[in-house]
């Protein structure tokens, strides 16, 4: 090809529809090759190579948004539609009616429902986790203990870097009960303590567990397994995209959940319900929140225009727990008082607060329930992401800083 047939930088930029400096960026990334023009003045480009890049760029622009790493993420786990939500196409509340947490988690991972399945802590992992939790400062909270447990369990598992589905599921079946059993006990273990909900109850409440209360806790664990791409789940999928092992994936989820805008909502609702019970009325408490410019905890959800189906089911189950009646009435009064002016319904955080307040649990109990439950969902998302091309979740940054070249700063 003669020099006359080749394109100048300006001509190549015009064909590509970009600025001249972008053309050189293409060269530096190996997408285009260049040749110095005679006399060393500028570069020239093969027009066929430029046209091929134009075609590739057009095809990439026509691909679905998810291929770019910044759009919707394909998932077969949870669908939220018309104020209902479904796990693999099955109504989540129907699953919570019929099965326990471990059964639903196993089904979500494998598509096989195993009646009576129980998760067991590996002895080495549990010992390492308990030592790690015991070494934390006395003021450490449940989320600190859960994060320490995940790290300790990872170190105790030499097979953690095996990302085959069998190995990941083996790690998950051991990690979830270890998260629970490494928490310090708050009461006497339930006599039928094989199920995860029974073990978790004794870590959250000093009150004796009755079947109705355990039914609420087990249902809450099922209902909270997954809820589409919440912030913590997105963090999990990004970690899995980078091929982090399952313990690190769960650690990423716990880190995102620890933010005040994600995991702490049930604690705020707990404190509000406690105040309503102390003051004997929801009206002044709601008024104080609104006067201070704060939203009322436990109300509304951006994904549901009507009632949160998780709250509806938990409130119904809580009606069978006699000692929950005062907190349940307080929660309904809060929702009713606020509904006079704003069409907001109770969400799952308010339902968790009813359970935690009535059972004498700490305000952080709802966050603990949420974290343990969601671990199974995080593992399900990690399994999906391990089957995708690695590092696909790599959005491009939009630089808004000073344009180079800038002078080197002086001390």
């Amino acid at each position: 090809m003669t020099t006359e047939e080749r394109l100048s930088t300006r001509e190549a930029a015009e064909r590509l529809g970009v600025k001249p400096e972008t053309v050189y960026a293409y060269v530096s990334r190996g997408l285009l090759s260049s040749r110095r023009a005679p006399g060393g003045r500028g570069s020239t480009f093969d027009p066929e190579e430029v046209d091929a890049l134009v075609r590739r760029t057009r095809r990439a622009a026509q691909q679905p948004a998810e291929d770019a790493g910044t759009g919707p993420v394909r998932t077969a786990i949870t669908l939220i539609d018309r104020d209902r939500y479904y796990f693999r196409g099955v109504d989540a509340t129907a699953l919570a009616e019929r099965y326990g947490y471990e059964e639903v988690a196993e089904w979500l991972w494998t598509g096989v429902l195993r009646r009576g399945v129980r998760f067991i802590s590996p002895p080495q992992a549990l010992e390492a986790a308990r030592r790690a939790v015991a070494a934390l400062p006395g003021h450490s909270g449940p989320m600190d203990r859960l994060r320490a447990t995940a790290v300790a369990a990872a170190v105790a598992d030499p097979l953690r870097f095996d990302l085959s589905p069998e190995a990941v599921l083996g790690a998950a079946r051991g990690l979830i009960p270890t998260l629970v059993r490494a928490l310090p006990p708050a009461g006497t273990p339930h006599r039928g303590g094989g199920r995860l909900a029974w073990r978790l109850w004794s870590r959250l409440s000093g009150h004796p567990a009755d079947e109705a209360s355990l039914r609420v806790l087990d249902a809450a664990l099922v209902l909270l397994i997954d809820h589409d791409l919440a912030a913590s789940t997105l963090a999990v999928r990004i970690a899995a995209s980078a091929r982090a092992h399952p313990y690190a994936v769960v650690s990423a989820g716990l880190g995102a959940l620890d933010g005040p805008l994600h995991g702490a909502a049930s604690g705020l609702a707990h404190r509000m319900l406690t105040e309503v019970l102390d003051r004997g009325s929801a009206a002044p408490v709601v008024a104080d929140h609104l006067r201070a410019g704060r939203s009322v905890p436990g109300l509304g959800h951006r994904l549901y225009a009507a009632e949160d189906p998780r709250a509806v089911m938990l409130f119904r189950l809580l009606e069978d727990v006699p000692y929950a009646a005062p907190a349940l009435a307080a929660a309904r009064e809060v929702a009713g008082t606020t509904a006079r002016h704003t069409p907001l319904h109770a969400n799952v955080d308010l339902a968790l607060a009813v359970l935690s307040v009535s059972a004498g649990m700490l305000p952080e109990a709802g966050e603990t329930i949420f974290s343990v439950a969601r671990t199974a969902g995080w593992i399900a998302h990690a399994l999906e992401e391990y089957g995708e091309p690695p590092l696909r979740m790599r959005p491009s940054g939009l630089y808004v800083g000073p344009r180079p070249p800038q002078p080197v700063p002086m001390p």
Side-chain angles (χ1 to χ4, degrees):
M1 183 177 296
T2 65
T3 302
E4 288 75 19
E5 294 174 322
R6 293 179 66 83
L7 302 176
S8 67
T9 301
R10 180 182 57 78
E11 292 168 334
E14 289 176 354
R15 286 201 189 191
L16 289 163
V18 299
K19 296 179 180 179
E21 51 265 32
T22 304
V23 175
Y24 290 114
Y26 287 148
V27 173
S28 67
R29 291 162 58 189
L31 299 175
L32 276 180
S33 59
S34 64
R35 187 186 302 168
R36 297 298 296 173
R41 302 183 64 182
S43 301
T44 63
F45 301 87
D46 182 342
E48 293 184 1
E49 192 178 11
V50 171
D51 290 339
L53 180 57
V54 169
R55 290 191 293 271
R56 292 201 304 273
T57 304
R58 285 175 181 166
R59 282 198 301 271
Q62 293 168 357
Q63 292 296 314
E66 60 265 30
D67 290 344
T70 57
V73 175
R74 290 186 295 262
T75 177
I77 299 172
T78 300
L79 169 68
I80 299 176
D81 182 51
R82 298 178 184 177
D83 293 324
R84 305 294 297 174
Y85 77 118
Y86 307 85
F87 294 155
R88 299 201 183 281
V90 179
D91 190 299
T93 58
L95 289 167
E97 286 275 8
R98 292 166 176 80
Y99 304 113
Y101 172 75
E102 290 145 297
E103 294 165 332
V104 175
E106 190 75 29
W107 173 77
L108 196 68
W109 296 334
T110 67
V112 177
L113 185 67
R114 298 169 55 200
R115 267 295 196 183
V117 64
R118 298 289 178 263
F119 297 158
I120 300 173
S121 304
Q124 287 184 323
L126 181 58
E127 182 183 356
R130 283 176 169 167
R131 287 203 307 266
V133 168
L136 295 174
H139 62 266
S140 301
M143 291 302 295
D144 301 314
R145 298 184 182 111
L146 291 174
R147 287 196 301 271
T149 295
V151 173
V155 176
D157 184 0
L159 304 180
R160 62 187 179 277
F161 295 106
D162 184 349
L163 301 186
S164 65
E166 297 79 10
V168 171
L169 290 177
R173 294 176 185 125
L175 174 59
I176 292 174
T178 301
L179 289 172
V180 173
R181 296 184 66 190
L183 294 171
T188 304
H190 189 268
R191 54 184 171 80
R195 293 174 66 170
L196 192 85
W198 297 338
R199 292 174 178 169
L200 182 56
W201 182 275
S202 66
R203 265 69 183 178
L204 299 176
S205 175
H207 291 199
D210 58 86
E211 292 302 321
S213 301
L214 292 171
R215 179 75 186 91
V216 177
L217 180 57
D218 207 0
L221 289 168
V222 173
L223 295 171
L224 291 167
I225 281 180
D226 191 54
H227 207 237
D228 197 33
L229 288 183
S232 57
T233 305
L234 181 58
V236 159
R237 293 200 71 129
I238 292 172
S241 177
R243 297 303 183 257
H245 58 70
Y247 302 93
V249 159
V250 170
S251 294
L254 290 171
L257 190 65
D258 203 24
L261 301 182
H262 190 9
S266 61
L268 298 175
H270 176 110
R271 292 179 175 89
M272 177 191 66
L273 282 188
T274 300
E275 186 178 0
V276 171
L277 291 171
D278 288 343
R279 299 176 69 172
S281 173
V285 178
V286 169
D288 286 347
H289 276 81
L290 298 178
R291 185 181 300 117
R294 302 188 302 266
S295 59
V296 180
L299 298 180
H301 197 288
R302 62 191 298 267
L303 298 180
Y304 299 114
E307 293 180 296
D308 183 337
R310 302 168 297 179
V312 173
M313 181 175 183
L314 292 178
F315 280 150
R316 177 168 54 80
L317 293 176
L318 283 161
E319 291 175 353
D320 296 331
V321 181
Y323 62 80
L328 186 57
R332 286 176 167 156
E333 187 186 358
V334 167
T337 300
T338 309
R340 298 175 193 170
H341 307 289
T342 308
L344 293 177
H345 301 280
N347 61 35
V348 70
D349 295 312
L350 191 59
L352 287 177
V354 173
L355 175 63
S356 61
V357 169
S358 59
M361 299 177 183
L362 295 174
E364 297 82 11
E367 189 174 8
T368 304
I369 297 169
F370 190 108
S371 302
V372 171
R374 191 57 57 90
T375 299
W378 291 337
I379 292 296
H381 281 275
L383 286 167
E384 277 196 338
E385 197 58 43
Y386 289 148
E388 297 284 353
L391 294 174
R392 69 188 183 112
M393 294 188 178
R394 179 60 172 86
S396 299
L398 178 62
Y399 180 72
V400 296
R403 299 300 306 174
Q406 295 289 320
V408 175
M410 300 296 290

